[in-house]
Amino acid sequence: MRIPQILALTLLAGIHASQAPTTTTAGDEKTMAPVALAELQAVLDRDMAPVLKSGALEPSTGGGVTIGVIQHGERRIFTYGTAKPDSVFEIGSITKTFTGLILAQMVLQGKVRFDEPVRALLPTGTVAKPATGAEITLLDLSIQHSGLPRMPDNFHPADPDNPYADYDAKLLYEFIAKQGVVLPANAPFGYSNLGVGLLGQALANRAELPYATLLHDQITGPLKMQDTGIALTPAMKIRFIQGHDGEHKPAHSWELDALAGAGGIRSTAADMLTYLEAQLHPDRLPVSAQRGSYAKTLPTAIANSHTLRAEAGGGMHIALNWFRVDDTGNYWHNGGTGGYSSFALFNPEKDFALIVLSNTSPNAENFSDKLGQHIAQRLTGLPAVSLVAEKHTETAIDPKLLDGYVGKFQLAPDFILTFTKEDNKLFTQATGQPKFQVFPEADKKFFLKVVDAQLTFVTDSPGRATSVILHQGGRDQEAKRIE
């Protein structure tokens, strides 16, 4: 059964994925001068050739990607594999950035407050006010510091191929009633599909509109994004590209109900470029003089949605659902559903943005993320991560060696990798993320199957690890032992 918690692709260290690598990579993926947009097609054609022949987009996979890039106001759309320029895709968790922007809009319009308890936006009597202490606010939900779990424990899909379809508001409210809305003291970053889905439902309640209508009124309508929404219009349905799971088998589309604000949007590259161009230059948006127009508040709301509000681990901060990498200035988010994956990035200082839309669900290779990083690196002249997947083979090692790797290793002040041994197997869990098994390919070298990342332990003479090096996205990051 496919795990239905894919909506957010923040797997182990996945939130580091958009950081620029510090070393060159093998093969043709070497450092180049910044590539001008007019030259990007030729560069991508060359870089993608191996992938189209025997990689993520080889003919037998049915895979395709549509790429949109905007730089200094100029747009380009590129396609590879089975995708077309106007293909419609599920964008998964990039939806969360729209929900964050709806929040910013409604704050400016005086309809909600950032510090307003989410309890106040739920039906009367849904959940009790905490007897003492702070409670979860709308801002806490948007910045992923609510203390809520990644998914509710009453999430039991009737159809694993369309897992969110039957999770309705009644089930959501039942979970919140049981969970409560107490805000844990110093709640750390913890990625939660549940939290942002709850935010979307709460905002829709306050507006007295379905989330899909609220999305249109507040964002896609003012921006004239006619190919973006929760439900497929007849015109979109014709161009809705067939999705594929991680094993390249045809996958069912996902319909989201109460958690639509966490990952329910479908869109095209052209519409997403419109959205990203608005992120780059909100001051250039035409605003309506009509009284009460949602377009009137949109420029300021977009700017406000970029304000950094909390740490997100791994050298990043989070705004209203946008992550920002501290050392590059890139704002980004990715997403995935049962048959699609996506990656969005924009950099206001360098004035460029990109969107990658794929009709294949996230798998260990995380091709959409990798391609998005690769394009950003080409545009800025940084060493580019290779698009060719490296093969890793599991091998047997002495289970006693694993004892030396158990412990906590600090990658950043707010980002810790915890390693545990269970049944002679090694597992790791990053701050605010699920636990995953890591597999040995040598005594000190391990890899993950859920994400394209590898680990190398550095040990002292007795075999106790003093640090671990994370290899991901062409970057090597050392985490020192703290326990």
Side-chain angles (χ1 to χ4, degrees):
M1 179 184 297
R2 186 190 311 115
I3 299 174
Q5 286 87 341
I6 276 178
L7 276 172
L9 197 56
T10 51
L11 304 176
L12 172 67
I15 57 173
H16 297 74
S18 62
Q19 297 191 46
T22 56
T23 58
T24 57
T25 51
D28 292 333
E29 313 306 324
K30 55 189 176 183
T31 304
M32 297 175 60
V35 176
L37 187 55
E39 302 166 353
L40 186 58
Q41 176 82 66
V43 172
L44 284 179
D45 286 351
R46 186 204 66 189
D47 293 349
M48 292 282 285
V51 177
L52 291 164
K53 183 178 180 181
S54 59
L57 298 179
E58 63 183 86
S60 64
T61 67
V65 294
T66 302
I67 302 160
V69 181
I70 185 167
Q71 184 181 56
H72 307 308
E74 185 180 357
R75 294 183 176 209
R76 291 285 191 279
I77 292 179
F78 314 101
T79 62
Y80 295 93
T82 58
K84 297 180 180 180
D86 61 352
S87 292
V88 176
F89 299 79
E90 295 177 350
I91 68 169
S93 277
I94 297 177
T95 300
K96 292 179 172 68
T97 69
F98 287 80
T99 301
L101 180 52
I102 291 172
L103 171 61
Q105 280 274 74
M106 293 180 68
V107 167
L108 280 176
Q109 294 157 10
K111 298 176 179 177
V112 299
R113 304 187 317 274
F114 283 129
D115 64 353
E116 190 166 4
V118 66
R119 174 182 52 82
L121 281 71
L122 304 182
T124 303
T126 295
V127 61
K129 180 179 180 179
T132 59
E135 60 180 306
I136 297 169
T137 68
L138 303 182
L139 181 61
D140 295 325
L141 295 172
S142 187
I143 64 174
Q144 303 281 15
H145 281 70
S146 68
L148 291 175
R150 186 181 183 92
M151 290 292 294
D153 62 12
N154 64 344
F155 184 81
H156 305 297
D159 181 1
D161 292 326
N162 191 12
Y164 288 81
D166 59 352
Y167 196 82
D168 58 15
K170 182 176 182 290
L171 288 170
L172 176 60
Y173 298 152
E174 286 177 356
F175 175 82
I176 295 300
K178 180 182 66 174
Q179 170 76 18
V181 288
V182 174
L183 179 67
N186 302 314
F189 171 81
Y191 195 94
S192 175
N193 288 319
L194 165 66
V196 185
L198 175 62
L199 175 61
Q201 181 67 39
L203 294 174
N205 289 347
R206 177 59 58 86
E208 298 183 341
L209 294 169
Y211 178 85
T213 304
L214 183 62
L215 171 70
H216 175 270
D217 289 352
Q218 293 283 1
I219 302 176
T220 60
L223 291 179
K224 296 180 172 56
M225 297 170 64
Q226 297 181 351
D227 278 337
T228 302
I230 302 297
L232 295 168
T233 66
M236 291 170 66
K237 189 175 294 186
I238 294 171
R239 293 175 281 117
F240 189 40
I241 189 170
Q242 173 64 55
H244 296 81
D245 65 19
E247 298 177 349
H248 307 293
K249 298 176 182 177
H252 196 291
S253 59
W254 279 9
E255 285 76 38
L256 281 76
D257 190 339
L259 300 183
I265 292 178
R266 287 82 174 263
S267 189
T268 62
D271 261 16
M272 288 302 297
L273 282 183
T274 295
Y275 179 64
L276 292 170
E277 186 173 15
Q279 309 299 319
L280 291 174
H281 300 290
D283 55 311
R284 298 180 187 175
L285 291 177
V287 296
S288 172
Q290 183 179 352
R291 185 175 180 180
S293 168
Y294 297 127
K296 192 170 185 178
T297 53
L298 194 54
T300 302
I302 291 174
N304 291 347
S305 74
H306 299 168
T307 299
L308 303 181
R309 299 176 185 272
E311 293 185 348
M316 292 193 313
H317 284 77
I318 188 170
L320 296 186
N321 289 108
W322 282 111
F323 295 105
R324 183 182 180 275
V325 182
D326 296 338
D327 62 0
T328 63
N330 291 336
Y331 286 81
W332 73 282
H333 211 295
N334 57 8
T337 63
Y340 304 84
S341 56
S342 57
F343 183 92
L345 179 150
F346 68 94
N347 189 308
E349 182 180 352
K350 295 182 174 66
D351 194 15
F352 77 91
L354 63 93
I355 180 70
V356 175
L357 299 171
S358 166
N359 69 335
T360 303
S361 176
N363 53 25
E365 188 177 352
N366 287 343
F367 184 72
S368 293
D369 280 28
K370 189 183 297 184
L371 180 56
Q373 299 162 47
H374 183 94
I375 294 169
Q377 291 155 350
R378 288 297 192 219
L379 292 172
T380 54
L382 293 169
V385 60
S386 175
L387 298 179
V388 179
E390 186 178 354
K391 302 296 183 182
H392 298 276
T393 303
E394 183 180 0
T395 188
I397 65 171
D398 186 346
K400 293 181 180 178
L401 292 174
L402 303 181
D403 296 331
Y405 307 148
V406 172
K408 294 185 176 182
F409 299 78
Q410 189 170 46
L411 194 66
D414 53 357
F415 199 82
I416 294 171
L417 300 176
T418 300
F419 291 87
T420 55
K421 180 182 177 183
E422 303 172 23
D423 297 326
N424 288 329
K425 299 174 183 177
L426 191 65
F427 293 81
T428 189
Q429 184 169 17
T431 300
Q433 299 186 29
K435 179 170 66 175
F436 299 107
Q437 185 178 355
V438 295
F439 300 86
E441 54 181 340
D443 284 353
K444 299 179 182 179
K445 294 184 177 181
F446 293 76
F447 65 97
L448 286 96
K449 294 182 179 180
V450 296
V451 64
D452 187 10
Q454 299 80 47
L455 300 158
T456 301
F457 288 96
V458 179
T459 63
D460 56 20
S461 52
R464 184 173 186 267
T466 56
S467 66
V468 61
I469 300 172
L470 169 68
H471 313 282
Q472 188 177 20
R475 182 174 185 171
D476 298 334
Q477 301 174 89
E478 186 174 20
K480 297 286 188 180
R481 179 186 284 276
I482 57 173
E483 288 185 17

